[in-house]
Amino acid sequence: TRQEQSLQELQSYFLDQKSRLASTPSVWPARGWVTSDFGQRLDPYTAERVMHEGLDIAAPHGKDVLAPSDGTVIFAGSRAPA
């Protein structure tokens, strides 16, 4: 029983580590230049100070964009959604 519990704990630990590694970016998603960093900034549409929860990268139209880790793309385009 103790050995089974220990193995279950190890399995849980390694599954957590696998998930953590999968969600840790390891490459740049696109070749380009950073136009807006993660963090507090003045919103370009409202001029209010807000948290920007992403990293904006400008690149030429048609260039490949990679997924650097597991996650969800919430916007891809030339303008922020309304």
Side-chain angles (χ1 to χ4, degrees):
T1 303
R2 190 177 300 165
Q3 188 176 24
E4 185 176 327
Q5 181 181 356
S6 179
L7 287 172
Q8 287 175 349
E9 288 173 2
L10 278 172
Q11 183 178 21
S12 176
Y13 170 79
F14 285 119
L15 285 174
D16 183 53
Q17 292 301 311
K18 181 179 179 182
S19 176
R20 181 173 288 130
L21 284 173
S23 63
T24 302
S26 57
V27 298
W28 279 88
R31 288 185 153 250
W33 56 98
V34 175
T35 59
S36 187
D37 287 319
F38 179 91
Q40 292 287 323
R41 71 170 188 179
L42 291 178
D43 185 283
Y45 301 98
T46 65
E48 294 178 16
R49 183 161 284 288
V50 295
M51 178 65 178
H52 182 243
E53 296 182 341
L55 183 70
D56 296 348
I57 302 171
H61 183 74
K63 288 294 181 180
D64 289 340
V65 177
L66 304 172
S69 64
D70 287 354
T72 303
V73 175
I74 58 170
F75 178 76
S78 59
R79 291 180 22 174

